[in-house]
Amino acid sequence: ASIVLVQTASGKAFQAALTASELADDPTKIPGVPPGVLGTRSPFEKPVKTPSDTSSRTPLQDLHGMITPSDLHYERHHGGVPAIDPTKYELVIHGMVEKPMVFTLADLKRFPSVSRIAFLECSGNYRGSNDGKIRPQEICGLTSQSEWTGVALSTIFREAGVSPKATWFLAEGGDAAVMTRSVPVHKGWDDAIIAYAQNGEAIRPEQGYPVRLFLPGWEGNANVKWLRRIELADAPFMTREETSKYTEAVGGGKIRQFSFTMDARSIITYPSYPAKVEKGWIEIRGIAWSGRGKVSRVEVSTDAGKTWQIARLQEPVLDKAITAFRHLWHWDGTPTEIMSRTVDETGYVQPFLKQLLNARGGNMGYHFNPVTTWYLQGDGAVLFKA
Amino acid sequence: ASIVLVQTASGKAFQAALTASELADDPTKIPGVPPGVLGTRSPFEKPVKTPSDTSSRTPLQDLHGMITPSDLHYERHHGGVPAIDPTKYELVIHGMVEKPMVFTLADLKRFPSVSRIAFLECSGNYRGSNDGKIRPQEICGLTSQSEWTGVALSTIFREAGVSPKATWFLAEGGDAAVMTRSVPVHKGWDDAIIAYAQNGEAIRPEQGYPVRLFLPGWEGNANVKWLRRIELADAPFMTREETSKYTEAVGGGKIRQFSFTMDARSIITYPSYPAKVEKGWIEIRGIAWSGRGKVSRVEVSTDAGKTWQIARLQEPVLDKAITAFRHLWHWDGTPTEIMSRTVDETGYVQPFLKQLLNARGGNMGYHFNPVTTWYLQGDGAVLFKA
Amino acid sequence: LPADTLSQPARFGFGRAATEAEIAAVDIDVRPDGKGLPKGEGNALEGKAIYALKCGGCHGATGTEGPNDRLVVGDTTKGGARRIKAIGNYWPHATTVFDYIRRAMPFNQPGSLTDREVYSLTAFLLHANGLWDEKAVLNAKNLPKIQMPARDKFVPDDRKDGPEIR
Amino acid sequence: LPADTLSQPARFGFGRAATEAEIAAVDIDVRPDGKGLPKGEGNALEGKAIYALKCGGCHGATGTEGPNDRLVVGDTTKGGARRIKAIGNYWPHATTVFDYIRRAMPFNQPGSLTDREVYSLTAFLLHANGLWDEKAVLNAKNLPKIQMPARDKFVPDDRKDGPEIR
Ligand code: HEC
Ligand code: HEC
Ligand SMILES: [Ca+2]
Ligand SMILES: [Ca+2]
Ligand SMILES: [Ca+2]
Ligand SMILES: [Ca+2]
Ligand SMILES: [Ca+2]
Ligand SMILES: [Ca+2]
Ligand SMILES: [Co+2]
Ligand SMILES: [Co+2]
């Protein structure tokens, strides 16, 4: 930026005399855009999700800190995003309850509310690549983080009088898939939220407007969006999403079911493909999270896993929340591999791909959270290695 | 929401037979919108700021939790929002430094980074009303909160070799006002940030794209946006904004200058004008903050200040950050006054308007943070009282 | 302790009682024991015709060809058998077939099928997977009793907090 | 302690040295002691003409009428005197007038004035506030010496942490 004090007597003449590109060069000489009803994104910044037919991935490599802008929150749905009129919205709770009830959106907002910053992640959140040309967005962009606000499900349980004998509940969405998942009742008493707000405003349609189930630390699909119904029961309902899908082969011909918890994970988002770096000081940056609680430590290796160092964690480190980590490193230009692994507060250590395959009879599938290794070429290019 | 199992043999015929309004009634019967590159806001939700010629106010009464969506972050500028090309952006640091330097945006991003959730507030953030028909947005909507990411100013100070004799620095913006403020150097060594990201993405143009100064807890104007220059000196520069503006009469003919810290404040955002409430249980909700550190307590009165009760604070309670508070109350329908006051970790207690006027020789002006009182009519209408 | 945690009521009194009709309108799920299955019946022959009309375009003429999810196990002797997850080798409960088709299929016209159509499609798909007789009538009574080959493959999550990788 | 706080270098080596020309291009501020004032001069008579042409539309014919900020104290005998904050009664330093006009005015053409115009406008506004002679030449030497009436009104912030309301 530079300012040129042009010698002219008339303001008007001055501005006319400048060409458009000169004007653009010096914003100090043109009154800017006045305040508006909604802020904007700079036209020079175009972060985008990568959509497929069924999902859209958060551009993790372009983000900073721990909050995901709501319009960049990942999407995964099974019948598209429904258009729901909030004045017609109703939530029905029935089954093993004293008093089957109906709540409008306004009703739900009257109950005591709770907010928390927590990640959400699809349990199918893993991709690899043979040529290394794959970004964090493709590898694990089906995770995002928001501040969620709503009413504790336990409050609604008490209001309807959930039977002490109820052990599972069905959560059903009002989308075209009429998405259904069975959830253990204890999660409802523990920390589940009937959420109606995301990052301060109403939940976005793609995340379940007007109301979704939010199960901190549990796989995305069970966090049923566009929630219209809760049915209490004494056994799981065995819906298609918890049998045919969202189950994983674990070896010995066995298929693991109701695997809700998201295992601890991390990824270095800088440097990562397609960034190119220079020799000298590099701040290695990434995000780490665990569905079991707080991230207690992130370890970074800059020598292909031979030695590990403890990264700095950005405060506040929250329960079941994405935590930004940073590790300052001096690169001498020698090709190497860099990687990160999360240790959570239960002592779980994010595994390597090989460990995961060993533990699961050679199968890949849901809940695949391996260490991501980046290969740093001598020219500073960064490629996915494993 | 209700589902009707229509008796028809052909799917196509079925959909054609439904009218548009019937379709809208049951989103479970129409495939929804597929995943996209950017999420959207529900067409039923239209939160807006209220713009004047020089500012635009956050709709506090419509928000939840502690994060302000970036496009609802308040605006206050003195020459409009400039359009800055990030590839041409440069930050100059000079004056009492060993080595005057120029940093591109890419340079700034290479330094170690830091993130924090903190409020920003204009020190002119107060309005009253005679007829009571005024929302939190008008009363104190010139405050918002984001997660800010950037490089610590201390890091840049070290890089340029700031002289130990430097006591003030000039921060200068690249907007049409070429905004300038003098800031004590100690704030730079303490917790100032050269910020380039807001809520995960690049700072929005209205908040200083591509780079702003962020001074946690200090009045908005000093957090110079579109930062183009930092000049170190041994005295303040006495710019127009720190003399003619952003100073306040404090009685005895004296004008207080360099009043950076934002005093502790709170406001009940629900119930507040124009909400109407019903008898029975009401969760009183609001936000509280202090430029001096953490909110240590929020007290709520539901009997016009006769007695006070301690509200619940939403964790995490962060330094110099908006904290959501909640207080459950049973209203019997009798007209009353409700109010909140913040106590911060230094023991500062948010004052009543009268206390502020007494302390400042009867003057109003900048840094006006009185307790907001809402009058609750017997019919459930809520009006601003003071 | 904040004062209001002391005064939390047993119930707030927000919302209202749901009527039986209101519940019935949305209570569409079907459980493994058959709870939720509607009256009526269907058969695979009828199902075959409906399938050809409304399903085959997305799931293939025999339920193995796609482009969308494979519904029928079919020939597992050719490569990739391990990756086949169809009704006949991966679904633990027959009730799920009914439940899912009724709520979500056909994908472009969800919720458009009659209960008879759903019974018939379920019968057809079970038949195509070798689990049901082409001519037998499928109804609320016999559907839950069908033994699914994958039933015993499913194990509950055994992952725990702590260092073990599972 | 995380390992990397041990290895923080004194300098990272990012960015580059600024040239004198680069600094000069942006170093436009003027300090109370006159540092930053350019060569040249101006006077109130010239300033009056420029003001009428470029400023009066927003600040009023005599600098008191608005619609935008009042620049001249003018008649304080009429009501509202307490709220008048003009150069002559509220600005502690004359240098600020020069600095601000040069960087930000006229509002619709900011940064368009020559230094001579800015000196003359400053001289005119100081004169209109009774602080400068109509015919005297204003320059880098005498501008900082002007005694501003509001100078001694300004006190530093004396608010402290803790319970005191100020
Ligand atoms: C326009 C395309 C389309 C049509 C027509 C269609 N389906 Fe589907 N079907 C899909 C898609 C896509 C999925 C996967 C949906 C998902 O995963 O959310 C699917 C999934 C299924 C599944 C679950 C498969 C599994 O392995 O989990 C069944 C069963 C099914 N369809 C049956 C049917 C039947 C029966 C019909 C006809 C009445 C039908 N489909 C018509 C596209 C279609
Ligand atoms: C198009 C309208 C407009 C024109 C023309 C204009 N001004 Fe201004 N002026 C403003 C506005 C608006 C402000 C307040 C800006 C702010 O607060 O950010 C202002 C503020 C000022 C101030 C500071 C007042 C204070 O009390 O802080 C001075 C001095 C000033 N103008 C001088 C001038 C001079 C000299 C000219 C002509 C060269 C001029 N203005 C032309 C609109 C204008
Ligand atoms: Ca049921
Ligand atoms: Ca399948
Ligand atoms: Ca449907
Ligand atoms: Ca200077
Ligand atoms: Ca003025
Ligand atoms: Ca300018
Ligand atoms: Co799972
Ligand atoms: Co101040």
Side-chain angles (χ1 to χ4, degrees):
Chain A
S2 72
I3 196 172
V4 190
L5 295 173
V6 179
Q7 309 287 319
T8 163
S10 147
K12 291 239 164 77
F14 164 83
Q15 205 163 57
L18 279 179
T19 68
S21 76
E22 278 170 316
L23 276 178
D25 267 5
D26 192 355
T28 68
K29 295 194 186 288
I30 323 142
V33 176
V37 291
L38 286 176
T40 57
R41 188 167 272 156
S42 165
F44 294 99
E45 301 287 336
K46 300 199 190 299
V48 282
K49 297 189 282 194
T50 39
S52 73
D53 283 352
T54 56
S55 72
S56 200
R57 299 173 162 261
T58 296
L60 300 174
Q61 68 285 344
D62 301 330
L63 301 184
H64 311 265
M66 66 157 147
I67 295 291
T68 309
S70 297
D71 65 356
L72 294 173
H73 193 290
Y74 86 85
E75 297 177 48
R76 174 72 177 100
H77 22 85
H78 290 262
V81 180
I84 296 179
D85 181 340
T87 63
K88 293 184 185 151
Y89 171 80
E90 285 178 347
L91 174 64
V92 173
I93 180 166
H94 70 114
M96 294 173 73
V97 299
E98 276 171 35
K99 186 180 167 192
M101 295 190 74
V102 180
F103 301 103
T104 64
L105 181 58
D107 291 334
L108 293 175
K109 288 183 177 172
R110 288 178 73 185
F111 285 101
S113 58
V114 59
S115 299
R116 71 180 293 165
I117 294 172
F119 76 90
L120 194 71
E121 183 179 16
C122 177
S123 53
N125 192 23
Y126 177 76
R127 274 198 206 164
S129 143
N130 288 330
D131 67 2
K133 296 185 175 171
I134 186 172
R135 301 171 298 175
Q137 182 162 14
E138 281 79 40
I139 299 165
C140 60
L142 296 176
T143 190
S144 307
Q145 178 149 290
S146 299
E147 183 191 26
W148 303 96
T149 299
V151 44
L153 181 51
S154 58
T155 303
I156 300 300
F157 275 6
R158 266 188 292 267
E159 197 70 19
V162 163
S163 160
K165 288 184 186 144
T167 50
W168 291 79
F169 69 90
L170 186 77
E172 185 175 87
D175 59 330
V178 205
M179 174 56 58
T180 39
R181 281 297 297 265
S182 305
V183 181
V185 163
H186 71 75
K187 186 68 175 174
W189 291 116
D190 180 8
D191 63 2
I193 297 171
I194 304 284
Y196 46 75
Q198 175 184 14
N199 291 339
E201 61 175 298
I203 282 187
R204 297 294 184 95
E206 296 80 4
Q207 275 73 57
Y209 182 85
V211 170
R212 81 175 302 159
L213 182 62
F214 189 75
L215 307 174
W218 283 20
E219 64 184 6
N221 180 256
N223 295 251
V224 173
K225 297 188 278 192
W226 314 292
L227 188 69
R228 72 168 194 178
R229 183 166 74 96
I230 291 175
E231 179 171 0
L232 279 295
D234 55 7
F237 290 66
M238 300 296 177
T239 74
R240 179 252 190 178
E241 309 298 333
E242 61 210 21
T243 53
S244 168
K245 306 291 168 187
Y246 300 104
T247 53
E248 53 269 1
V250 287
K254 293 299 175 192
I255 301 164
R256 190 162 65 198
Q257 198 183 16
F258 299 121
S259 47
F260 293 113
T261 304
M262 296 307 299
D263 288 318
R265 192 165 185 183
S266 69
I267 185 164
I268 292 173
T269 52
Y270 183 84
S272 69
Y273 179 79
K276 229 182 145 175
V277 294
E278 287 174 45
K279 267 197 274 197
W281 290 100
I282 293 175
E283 186 178 66
I284 294 174
R285 296 172 189 150
I287 51 173
W289 62 97
S290 168
R292 289 195 171 78
K294 292 185 184 182
V295 167
S296 80
R297 192 163 85 234
V298 175
E299 299 175 347
V300 169
S301 175
T302 53
D303 58 6
K306 279 183 217 87
T307 63
W308 295 83
Q309 295 192 287
I310 297 175
R312 270 174 300 137
L313 300 184
Q314 179 64 63
E315 292 288 334
V317 178
L318 302 174
D319 183 48
K320 300 164 189 168
I322 285 174
T323 301
F325 69 84
R326 296 164 178 130
H327 178 71
L328 193 54
W329 174 52
H330 194 275
W331 184 44
D332 64 7
T334 312
T336 188
E337 289 168 24
I338 61 173
M339 56 191 82
S340 66
R341 68 179 174 205
T342 299
V343 182
D344 73 20
E345 59 175 340
T346 76
Y348 179 92
V349 183
Q350 185 186 358
F352 289 96
L353 189 125
K354 206 178 236 171
Q355 290 174 279
L356 273 174
L357 288 173
N358 283 346
R360 300 199 188 152
N363 295 289
M364 296 182 74
Y366 297 100
H367 296 282
F368 219 69
N369 62 325
V371 165
T372 298
T373 302
W374 297 104
Y375 181 67
L376 197 48
Q377 293 186 169
D379 64 357
V382 189
L383 292 170
F384 171 84
K385 207 204 149 196
Chain B
S2 72
I3 196 170
V4 189
L5 294 172
V6 180
Q7 308 288 320
T8 166
S10 147
K12 290 238 165 79
F14 164 81
Q15 205 160 57
L18 278 180
T19 68
S21 75
E22 280 171 316
L23 275 178
D25 266 8
D26 192 353
T28 67
K29 295 194 185 288
I30 324 141
V33 177
V37 292
L38 286 177
T40 57
R41 188 168 272 156
S42 164
F44 295 98
E45 301 287 336
K46 301 200 189 301
V48 282
K49 297 190 282 192
T50 39
S52 71
D53 283 354
T54 55
S55 72
S56 200
R57 297 171 164 264
T58 295
L60 300 175
Q61 67 286 345
D62 301 329
L63 301 184
H64 311 263
M66 68 156 150
I67 294 291
T68 309
S70 296
D71 64 356
L72 295 173
H73 193 290
Y74 87 85
E75 296 178 48
R76 174 70 179 102
H77 21 82
H78 289 261
V81 180
I84 296 178
D85 180 340
T87 63
K88 290 183 187 152
Y89 171 81
E90 286 179 348
L91 174 65
V92 174
I93 181 167
H94 70 113
M96 294 174 72
V97 298
E98 275 171 35
K99 187 179 168 193
M101 296 191 72
V102 180
F103 301 103
T104 64
L105 181 59
D107 291 335
L108 293 175
K109 289 183 177 171
R110 288 178 73 184
F111 286 101
S113 57
V114 60
S115 298
R116 71 179 292 164
I117 293 172
F119 76 89
L120 195 70
E121 184 180 17
C122 177
S123 52
N125 192 24
Y126 176 76
R127 273 198 208 164
S129 140
N130 288 329
D131 67 0
K133 295 185 174 170
I134 185 174
R135 301 172 297 176
Q137 184 161 12
E138 281 77 40
I139 299 166
C140 61
L142 297 177
T143 190
S144 307
Q145 178 149 290
S146 299
E147 182 189 27
W148 302 96
T149 299
V151 43
L153 181 51
S154 59
T155 303
I156 300 301
F157 276 4
R158 269 189 289 268
E159 196 72 18
V162 163
S163 160
K165 289 185 186 142
T167 51
W168 291 80
F169 69 89
L170 185 78
E172 186 174 85
D175 59 330
V178 205
M179 174 56 58
T180 39
R181 282 297 298 263
S182 303
V183 181
V185 163
H186 72 75
K187 186 70 175 173
W189 290 117
D190 180 10
D191 63 1
I193 297 171
I194 305 284
Y196 47 74
Q198 173 184 15
N199 291 339
E201 61 175 297
I203 282 188
R204 295 295 182 97
E206 295 80 4
Q207 275 74 58
Y209 182 84
V211 170
R212 82 174 302 157
L213 182 61
F214 189 75
L215 307 173
W218 283 20
E219 64 183 6
N221 180 257
N223 293 253
V224 173
K225 296 188 280 193
W226 313 293
L227 188 69
R228 73 167 194 179
R229 182 167 76 94
I230 291 174
E231 180 172 359
L232 280 296
D234 54 9
F237 290 66
M238 300 297 174
T239 73
R240 179 254 188 177
E241 310 296 334
E242 61 211 19
T243 54
S244 167
K245 304 292 170 189
Y246 299 105
T247 52
E248 54 269 1
V250 287
K254 293 299 177 191
I255 301 163
R256 189 162 65 197
Q257 198 183 16
F258 300 121
S259 47
F260 292 114
T261 304
M262 296 307 298
D263 289 318
R265 192 166 185 183
S266 69
I267 185 164
I268 292 173
T269 52
Y270 182 84
S272 69
Y273 180 81
K276 230 183 142 175
V277 294
E278 288 174 46
K279 267 195 275 195
W281 290 101
I282 293 175
E283 186 178 66
I284 294 174
R285 296 170 188 153
I287 50 173
W289 63 98
S290 169
R292 288 194 171 79
K294 291 185 185 182
V295 168
S296 81
R297 190 163 86 236
V298 175
E299 298 174 348
V300 169
S301 175
T302 53
D303 56 7
K306 279 182 217 86
T307 63
W308 295 83
Q309 295 193 285
I310 296 174
R312 272 175 298 137
L313 300 184
Q314 179 64 63
E315 293 287 335
V317 177
L318 302 175
D319 184 47
K320 298 163 190 168
I322 285 174
T323 301
F325 69 85
R326 294 161 180 136
H327 178 70
L328 194 53
W329 174 52
H330 193 274
W331 183 44
D332 63 8
T334 313
T336 189
E337 289 169 23
I338 61 171
M339 55 190 84
S340 66
R341 67 180 176 206
T342 300
V343 182
D344 73 19
E345 60 175 340
T346 76
Y348 179 92
V349 184
Q350 185 186 359
F352 289 96
L353 189 123
K354 206 177 236 174
Q355 290 174 281
L356 273 174
L357 287 173
N358 283 346
R360 299 196 190 154
N363 296 289
M364 296 182 75
Y366 296 101
H367 296 282
F368 219 70
N369 62 323
V371 166
T372 298
T373 302
W374 298 104
Y375 180 67
L376 197 48
Q377 294 185 167
D379 65 356
V382 189
L383 291 171
F384 171 82
K385 207 205 149 199
Chain C
L1 260 192
D4 73 347
T5 54
L6 307 171
S7 55
Q8 182 109 3
R11 293 202 179 160
F12 288 89
F14 307 151
R16 58 177 176 79
T19 66
E20 281 188 22
E22 275 176 323
I23 294 169
V26 288
D27 187 10
I28 60 170
D29 63 273
V30 173
R31 305 191 197 185
D33 63 5
K35 194 173 171 198
L37 278 171
K39 282 181 200 144
E41 54 175 46
N43 62 73
L45 270 177
E46 275 183 46
K48 188 175 186 169
I50 305 165
Y51 181 90
L53 191 68
K54 299 188 183 181
C55 321
C58 294
H59 294 286
T62 70
T64 60
E65 304 88 346
N68 290 118
D69 293 23
R70 181 172 185 143
L71 306 179
V72 175
V73 179
D75 183 358
T76 59
T77 58
K78 285 177 203 139
R82 196 184 175 191
R83 307 192 69 182
I84 295 174
K85 297 180 180 178
I87 291 167
N89 70 344
Y90 203 88
W91 291 46
H93 302 280
T95 46
T96 310
V97 183
F98 187 98
D99 176 280
Y100 183 70
I101 293 174
R102 184 165 71 164
R103 70 174 63 243
M105 288 295 132
F107 196 75
N108 53 338
Q109 310 276 329
S112 63
L113 301 171
T114 64
D115 288 344
R116 184 175 185 94
E117 287 176 310
V118 180
Y119 271 121
S120 294
L121 284 162
T122 305
F124 168 68
L125 288 174
L126 290 168
H127 167 70
N129 279 285
L131 302 169
W132 191 248
D133 191 87
E134 187 157 23
K135 278 155 208 164
V137 160
L138 190 69
N139 58 29
K141 222 171 151 194
N142 53 27
L143 173 55
K145 296 196 183 126
I146 297 170
Q147 290 301 317
M148 299 294 280
R151 178 66 182 271
D152 295 334
K153 292 184 182 172
F154 285 79
V155 293
D157 186 13
D158 63 349
R159 293 173 304 154
K160 292 181 197 119
D161 292 355
E164 206 184 345
I165 306 300
R166 286 195 179 187
Chain D
L1 259 191
D4 72 350
T5 55
L6 308 170
S7 54
Q8 182 109 1
R11 294 202 178 159
F12 287 90
F14 306 150
R16 58 179 174 76
T19 65
E20 282 188 22
E22 275 176 323
I23 294 169
V26 288
D27 186 10
I28 60 169
D29 63 273
V30 173
R31 304 192 198 186
D33 63 4
K35 194 171 171 198
L37 279 171
K39 282 182 200 143
E41 56 175 42
N43 62 73
L45 270 178
E46 276 184 44
K48 187 175 188 168
I50 305 164
Y51 180 89
L53 191 70
K54 300 188 181 177
C55 321
C58 294
H59 294 285
T62 70
T64 60
E65 304 88 346
N68 291 118
D69 294 23
R70 180 172 185 143
L71 307 178
V72 175
V73 179
D75 183 359
T76 59
T77 59
K78 287 177 203 143
R82 195 183 175 191
R83 305 191 71 180
I84 296 174
K85 297 180 180 178
I87 291 168
N89 71 343
Y90 203 90
W91 290 48
H93 302 278
T95 45
T96 309
V97 184
F98 186 100
D99 176 280
Y100 183 69
I101 294 174
R102 184 165 71 165
R103 73 173 60 241
M105 289 295 132
F107 195 76
N108 53 338
Q109 309 277 328
S112 65
L113 301 171
T114 66
D115 289 343
R116 182 172 185 96
E117 287 176 309
V118 179
Y119 270 122
S120 294
L121 285 162
T122 305
F124 167 69
L125 289 175
L126 291 168
H127 166 68
N129 278 286
L131 302 169
W132 191 249
D133 191 86
E134 186 157 24
K135 278 155 206 165
V137 159
L138 189 70
N139 60 29
K141 222 172 152 193
N142 52 28
L143 173 56
K145 294 195 183 125
I146 296 169
Q147 290 302 317
M148 299 293 278
R151 179 64 184 272
D152 293 335
K153 293 183 182 173
F154 284 80
V155 293
D157 187 12
D158 63 350
R159 292 173 305 155
K160 292 178 196 124
D161 292 356
E164 206 183 346
I165 306 300
R166 290 195 177 188

